Amino acid sequence: MADSAPPLAGAGSVTTEWPVAGLSRVMRHITGYNAEGKSIFLSSDCGDHHRVIGEKQAIGNIIYSTNATPIEINGEVDIKYAKENEPGLSVHNGTVARLIDFGPGAESPQHRSLSLDYCVVIEGVFKLLLDSGEERIMQPGDTTVQRATAHQWINLTGNGLLPGRILFVLIDVNDVVVGEKKMERFLGTITKDYEGR
């Protein structure tokens, strides 16, 4: 898809760092073990990687990412990977947990990731629009399982006047074939926010 489309609604609405103004701060707590094998908190913070998305329409906060399944947690290998590597949209053979704060009225472009995505609305009201034209209104707690399908998110919170937040957990998938056609990833105007990582 071409990236020369006109700006989407909500462009320029994100004017702060994480979190978007009007949404609560989110803490990430990572657990592990002490020398005696007791569970402990290793760290509490707001995440290692934050990125403005689109035309200042949203901010993404990477909660955690991994690069293998099963995940190697011995020697804190996973923690080192997550801290040192800001993932692209998804990670080959891995996972990405990402909170996205959408500015008032923000719309994502129609896009498809080649991943299985668990999407949970945390705050606000969103329209989820598929490329078939089908749509659903999603409220806090509502969940969708995106199976590498083309979709668009539209923040309707407060009639488009307030920010909203969604948690996305993306898991890598094998090639997706429908009929005899291999489905391709496309990100539209957010390509620049995820390519090369």
Side-chain angles (χ1 to χ4, degrees), residues 19 26 34 70 86 101 111 118 127 135 147 150-151 157 161 186 194:
V26 172
N34 65 15
E86 181 181 358
D101 285 3
H111 62 285
Y118 302 120
K127 179 189 290 185
E135 63 184 55
R147 299 177 60 249
H151 61 281
T157 310
L161 299 174
F186 67 89
Y194 295 107

Side-chain angles (χ1 to χ4, degrees), residues 58-90:
I59 299 177
N61 177 0
I62 303 301
I63 301 301
Y64 212 67
S65 63
T66 64
N67 64 345
T69 302
I71 301 163
E72 179 60 66
I73 65 171
N74 294 308
E76 299 182 356
V77 170
D78 61 316
I79 293 173
K80 184 177 190 309
Y81 174 82
K83 184 169 194 62
E84 294 177 358
N85 296 278
E86 181 181 358
L89 188 63
S90 59

